[in-house]
Amino acid sequence: DASRVITDRKEQGTVSGVEKRLIDMSLIAVRSRMVVSRLERREIMDEWKTAMGIPAENTVVLISELDLSADWLTSLNTGGEGSSDLESRRLAVEALNKDIGLEKGDIFPSLSVAGGYKNVNDEFTGFVLGLSMPIPVLNRNSGGIDRARAEHRKAEAELDLYETARERHMSRLLLAARDESELLKQYHGDFERIEEHVRDLAVSYKEGWLDLGDFLEGVRTYADAIESYFDMLEDYNNIVFELERLTEREIYSPGTARQEETGS
């Protein structure tokens, strides 16, 4: 709209060609961002279709509303419940602990039995039987027990380190999700009406309420804000997906939440 307005004004001789070129350059920058955004959207959609097993030629209509209530943040437990990865690590430590008991029970040495028929000469033949065992007879298997204990202590230390790192990682993600959610809730309403705001900007320039410099600065501000908003929205969802991976359960389902609210 602003480009058309300034074209008319230039033809009328009320503005210079420099002003028209400035708006045209600003328009090119905005349109190039739109082209890049459409390309990125198509790439993301194609990747998602592939992951979901949806044919590339099928059209997907995403209807779930954005839910920024973040109620799930207050109820999410950072512990290891429901995590198969953490549970498998704990079971591995328990298994090594049981190995210690098995090694303690292995205090008797192994016995070797040998036998056969022996012929020394025509007058001396017979069967031979041999029994052998290592000395000392009762060595209490101290070497095997020490090895089992060392492996168990190492596994316990690794498990403690993993649990601590996992809990801290989840705590950082939860704090980041709360911060992102607050900002998104604060500005979500404005960005739902972003097209209306941009039109108001063009009208203000058309009616002479904004000069060229303020108009161009407004265009840049809106363009940067839109990118920042959707970058923040992407970060928020990435945090949610990472938390779902760690807890192995669905914690964010905006479509389901909306159905529950409406009773449908």
Side-chain angles (χ1 to χ4, degrees):
D1 290 343
S3 180
R4 285 193 293 269
V5 168
I6 202 166
T7 298
D8 294 339
R9 291 180 181 176
K10 183 178 181 299
E11 291 175 354
Q12 297 168 5
T14 58
V15 297
S16 67
V18 173
E19 290 178 297
K20 183 179 185 305
R21 284 194 297 272
L22 286 173
I23 287 187
D24 287 342
M25 292 301 103
S26 179
L27 185 59
I28 289 174
V30 171
R31 283 177 170 165
S32 66
R33 289 189 182 192
M34 292 172 65
V35 170
V36 171
S37 295
R38 291 192 184 104
L39 175 61
E40 290 178 348
R41 184 188 187 281
R42 285 192 290 268
E43 289 176 347
I44 293 172
M45 179 60 76
D46 289 343
E47 291 175 359
W48 185 74
K49 284 182 179 180
T50 300
M52 298 297 293
I54 299 174
E57 64 275 9
N58 285 18
T59 299
V60 177
V61 180
L62 303 176
I63 61 174
S64 297
E65 297 183 23
L66 179 63
D67 178 18
L68 296 172
S69 61
D71 293 336
W72 57 271
L73 291 171
T74 58
S75 60
L76 186 63
N77 186 3
T78 59
E81 292 76 4
S83 170
S84 60
D85 176 53
L86 188 56
E87 188 62 25
S88 66
R89 291 171 182 265
R90 289 171 176 168
L91 289 174
V93 173
E94 291 181 11
L96 289 174
N97 187 40
K98 291 180 179 180
D99 284 347
I100 297 176
L102 293 175
E103 293 292 345
K104 287 181 177 179
D106 190 20
I107 62 174
F108 293 99
S110 58
L111 299 177
S112 298
V113 179
Y117 181 80
K118 189 171 183 179
N119 183 1
V120 178
N121 51 48
D122 293 339
E123 298 178 357
F124 189 76
T125 60
F127 292 96
V128 177
L129 179 66
L131 183 67
S132 64
M133 68 176 63
I135 297 176
V137 175
L138 295 177
N139 61 7
R140 299 190 182 277
N141 193 25
S142 58
I145 295 173
D146 289 343
R147 283 193 299 273
R149 284 174 174 168
E151 291 177 0
H152 179 252
R153 286 195 298 268
K154 179 183 176 182
E156 274 191 325
E158 291 175 347
L159 176 62
D160 290 341
L161 180 62
Y162 177 79
E163 287 182 323
T164 301
R166 180 183 183 276
E167 186 172 349
R168 289 177 179 175
H169 179 48
M170 289 186 64
S171 296
R172 288 194 301 269
L173 290 174
L174 286 171
L175 290 174
R178 290 191 182 99
D179 293 341
E180 299 276 5
S181 176
E182 289 301 319
L183 283 174
L184 288 169
K185 281 192 293 185
Q186 182 177 350
Y187 295 107
H188 179 60
D190 288 333
F191 281 93
E192 282 190 322
R193 302 173 55 193
I194 192 65
E195 291 184 10
E196 178 183 335
H197 296 329
V198 174
R199 283 196 299 270
D200 290 343
L201 184 66
V203 170
S204 297
Y205 175 71
K206 178 180 178 180
E207 298 298 329
W209 303 330
L210 289 177
D211 60 24
L212 179 62
D214 291 336
F215 171 72
L216 295 177
E217 183 61 30
V219 171
R220 281 192 293 269
T221 299
Y222 274 122
D224 292 341
I226 290 170
E227 287 193 357
S228 297
Y229 175 81
F230 283 100
D231 285 344
M232 186 164 47
L233 185 59
E234 182 182 9
D235 291 340
Y236 175 77
N237 282 281
N238 285 337
I239 289 171
V240 172
F241 299 149
E242 175 66 7
L243 286 170
E244 287 187 334
R245 185 188 69 81
L246 290 170
T247 59
E248 296 180 0
R249 65 187 180 93
E250 187 179 51
I251 59 178
Y252 177 65
S253 182
T256 303
R258 182 64 59 188
Q259 291 176 3
E260 292 174 353
E261 290 176 7
T262 59
S264 58

